[in-house]
Amino acid sequence: LTAEPPPSEPPALQLCGSNTIGAELAPALIEAFLKRKGATAIARTTEPEHARVSGTLAGAPIVIDVRAAGSATAFQGLLAHRCDIGMASRAINDKERAQLASAGLGDLTSAATEHVVGLDGIAVIVHPNNPLGMLDRGQLHDVFTGKITDWSQLGGQAGAIHVLARDNNSGTFDTFKNLVLGADPLLPATRRFADSSALSDQVAGDPSAIGFIGLAYIRAAKALAVGDQATPAKLPTSFTVTTEGYMLSRRLYMYSTPTPRTQLATELISFVLS
């Protein structure tokens, strides 16, 4: 008989929510946090929408779990007590705020529970060989709602535009919807993705594609400058995003509850804000 594998260490701390934060930023912050606390043998294992950071702290194993299926799942996870910290690439909405408050989890918009941990830009990306350099907000709206369907309508080479977008759980999609689409629905034929890296790689491999992702996920794709009628087009860079001069800038958040299950949640957020 083969021996059963030892049970995996239960997480000392659980984060859930935004793929933009959870795919790379959160695990990197957790590694730095554990190192600061004096942990050794720190290692990370990753799979789609899930990362585990493990180490040894004061002679005992420690595991911190990150589930990154989209910003909406941050508030679903907090409500169901499946996670200690919610990650979101948009602010909590009124419905989520009311649900959490009525469940006895307090007002998550208070300064003690809503933490801005960074600034990010939503990059509009195309294939690296696409000759287009910029689009304005109106053109983006018309492409992603299906009013413009061919690259020739934007001054490019003739050919159907393949529209890609994050899924409905995504804070990135929610922000793009608010800033660009308004009340109009996304083109029904749009291909939807839960993972930012997968979307970016698909755009980078398809000369007819266009999509949008967080700044960290441009990868091999080409980012377009974005402007408006009264605003000059700017590329999404760390400078234009940090100064919030880039039109599609947004804030990144972590949410905690007023009385967290573990002191580690408070310590991690204090470390991130430092």
Side-chain angles (χ1 to χ4, degrees), residues 16-68:
C16 63
S18 164
N19 180 256
T20 299
I21 301 171
E24 184 57 44
L25 178 60
L29 287 168
I30 290 164
E31 288 171 350
F33 168 67
L34 289 177
K35 191 174 179 182
R36 170 75 66 85
K37 284 183 69 69
T40 56
I42 298 167
R44 186 195 310 187
T45 57
T46 57
E47 52 192 73
E49 298 177 25
H50 184 208
R52 284 170 76 89
V53 180
S54 60
T56 302
L57 183 63
I62 183 169
V63 171
I64 297 180
D65 201 57
V66 182
R67 303 267 173 181

Side-chain angles (χ1 to χ4, degrees), residues 186-210:
L186 185 69
L187 173 72
T190 301
R191 282 189 64 191
R192 310 297 296 274
F193 291 78
D195 183 76
S196 299
S197 298
L199 190 157
S200 184
D201 291 348
Q202 185 67 38
V203 171
D206 179 357
S208 299
I210 189 169

Side-chain angles (χ1 to χ4, degrees), residues 126-127 129-130 151 162 202-209:
V126 293
H127 187 273
N129 294 341
N130 191 313
W151 286 108
H162 299 163
Q202 185 67 38
V203 171
D206 179 357
S208 299

